[in-house]
Amino acid sequence: MAGKAKILVLGTGGTIAGAGESATTATYKAGQIDASRLIAGIAQLDRIAEVKAETLYAKPSGDLGPREWRALARRVQVAFETSEVDGVVVTHGTDTLEEAAFFLDLLLQSDKPVVFTAAMRPATALGADGPANLFQAVRVAAAPESAERGILVAMNDTVLPGWMAIKTASLPVQAFRAYPGGPLGRVTGERLTYFEPPRRSPLAGRFFLCLDGQRELPAVGIALVHGGCGEAPLAACRDAGYPGVVIAGFGGGTMPAPMAALARRMAKDGVAIVVSSRVGEVAVFPEVMDLREDADVVAASGFLNPQKSALLLSLALAEGRNAAEISTLFGRLPACSGESYGSRL
Ligand code: SIN
């Protein structure tokens, strides 16, 4: 790449673009500042890249979902088809950033860097974290060594693999970490250091063909267990008519006996059931959950939390995958290693 890298910043809203009435109030409105104003506020960006900005959405990220993320992925794809964009930065709300990063990782096949960033404090706050995070994300997106790593998240001096990013806290600036696994690198000032060579997630770009689909992706329900809930949370998903349901079970994927019985009946009726867990660090494998993949045609989510599992299940259903194929897809993720596109379902 001759000269400075050309980076496109795509704004979608969130706290990073949020504004409050004063610099010290805890209340604010997300998505108030457009992406060009965000970059205009960081004079130092000129030193590291040629940056352009575009605002796609101005929303709290809880109002974004697969429809908006698919449009976002298409915008990234179109940008990369020109020589005018070497890397993309997406500014996003933290609430669903982990889902968006995971979803784009499943859809996009480009080698060029796509880096999500966000903030826990609004742009108007004393000590706002957004400008530093945006600077770091542009630094990461502009670096040739960020290529072929799939979707990345850059925040708080840390670079995370996008598919592993999880939000673990409601308020502190250090709200994200990678799970399973750890950070890929660090940003210190203008210095970017990677700890390991490039590799992608095992399912990177696996659903590339869904990028252009016009039909809405199938809706997937999530049934969250709590003590003494019986079958009620899953029954609500059955009554809503979802073609697929993720059960956010206890620790290793267990659930009250009435819910397990209902899950078996629903699976027999053709509902795709995936079992995940309500804990922060999810690890659900066939041997520890109540339902068995062979007997009950359900998949274990491995290390995926319920919200990421729901996205993967929705894409698998959109492709018309059967229960055994869905189980194989979920089984690929615990590997945590990059593998060639050719060797997968
Ligand atoms: C949001 O996700 O849009 C609000 C919360 C945040 O960005 O931290």
Side-chain angles (χ1 to χ4, degrees):
M1 171 193 322
K4 283 193 275 190
K6 300 184 204 80
I7 304 301
L8 176 64
V9 175
L10 296 175
T12 68
T15 297
I16 191 167
E21 280 190 2
S22 86
T24 50
T25 50
T27 51
Y28 64 94
K29 243 179 130 190
Q32 299 300 295
I33 301 172
D34 73 24
S36 46
R37 269 179 65 206
L38 290 181
I39 63 166
I42 311 173
Q44 298 82 348
L45 285 177
D46 272 353
R47 294 168 52 87
I48 56 170
E50 268 178 47
V51 186
K52 289 197 173 128
E54 209 175 288
T55 300
L56 292 187
Y57 306 109
K59 296 190 179 192
S61 69
D63 288 342
L64 303 178
R67 183 187 306 145
E68 290 79 15
W69 296 326
R70 188 150 64 153
L72 169 64
R74 281 195 206 109
R75 179 67 192 96
V76 173
Q77 181 71 16
V78 167
F80 283 161
E81 280 163 8
T82 73
S83 56
E84 289 308 297
V85 177
D86 299 312
V88 166
V89 169
V90 179
T91 59
H92 200 281
T94 61
D95 286 338
T96 62
L97 183 146
E98 62 182 82
E99 288 152 86
F102 180 66
F103 191 75
L104 263 72
D105 197 61
L106 294 173
L107 255 58
L108 285 172
Q109 282 186 354
S110 175
D111 290 343
K112 295 184 186 178
V114 179
V115 186
F116 277 73
T117 195
M120 294 298 289
R121 297 179 184 150
T124 49
L126 272 185
D129 48 335
N133 287 345
L134 182 49
F135 177 85
Q136 292 179 356
V138 171
R139 175 67 185 90
V140 172
E145 57 273 36
S146 299
E148 296 179 45
R149 292 181 186 271
I151 307 299
L152 299 169
V153 174
M155 289 177 76
N156 302 311
D157 309 343
T158 305
V159 187
L160 307 175
W163 78 278
M164 291 191 200
I166 55 171
K167 183 175 179 180
T168 58
S170 303
L171 294 175
V173 165
Q174 270 81 20
F176 281 82
R177 54 168 292 216
Y179 176 82
L184 295 176
R186 281 190 75 78
V187 186
T188 311
E190 290 182 17
R191 178 184 293 271
L192 169 64
T193 311
Y194 279 109
F195 309 140
E196 47 186 90
R199 62 176 182 174
R200 296 166 182 275
S201 76
L203 293 178
R206 166 64 185 73
F207 292 92
F208 182 70
L209 294 179
C210 276
L211 206 52
D212 288 324
Q214 295 305 316
R215 280 217 310 240
E216 289 281 313
L217 294 173
V220 167
I222 296 180
L224 174 66
V225 299
H226 56 275
C229 69
E231 65 167 32
L234 186 57
C237 290
R238 177 202 55 202
D239 297 348
Y242 292 118
V245 177
V246 176
I247 298 176
F250 298 115
T254 54
M255 65 195 75
M259 185 181 287
L262 176 58
R264 286 190 188 95
R265 292 199 300 278
M266 288 171 66
K268 280 202 181 72
D269 288 344
V271 179
I273 306 268
V274 172
V275 181
S276 182
S277 172
R278 66 179 194 168
V279 303
E281 297 187 4
V282 174
V284 175
F285 301 108
E287 61 273 26
V288 291
M289 62 189 200
D290 285 341
L291 299 163
R292 291 279 176 271
E293 285 187 328
D294 49 355
D296 304 309
V297 263
V298 293
S301 77
F303 294 117
L304 287 188
N305 62 23
Q307 54 273 32
K308 292 185 191 180
S309 300
L311 291 169
L312 179 55
L313 179 56
S314 173
L315 287 166
L317 290 171
E319 269 191 353
R321 295 292 171 183
N322 65 30
E325 292 168 331
I326 290 169
S327 178
T328 303
L329 273 171
F330 275 85
R332 292 190 57 79
L333 281 167
C336 287
S337 64
E339 291 173 47
S340 74
Y341 290 129
S343 63
R344 25 170 225 239
L345 180 72

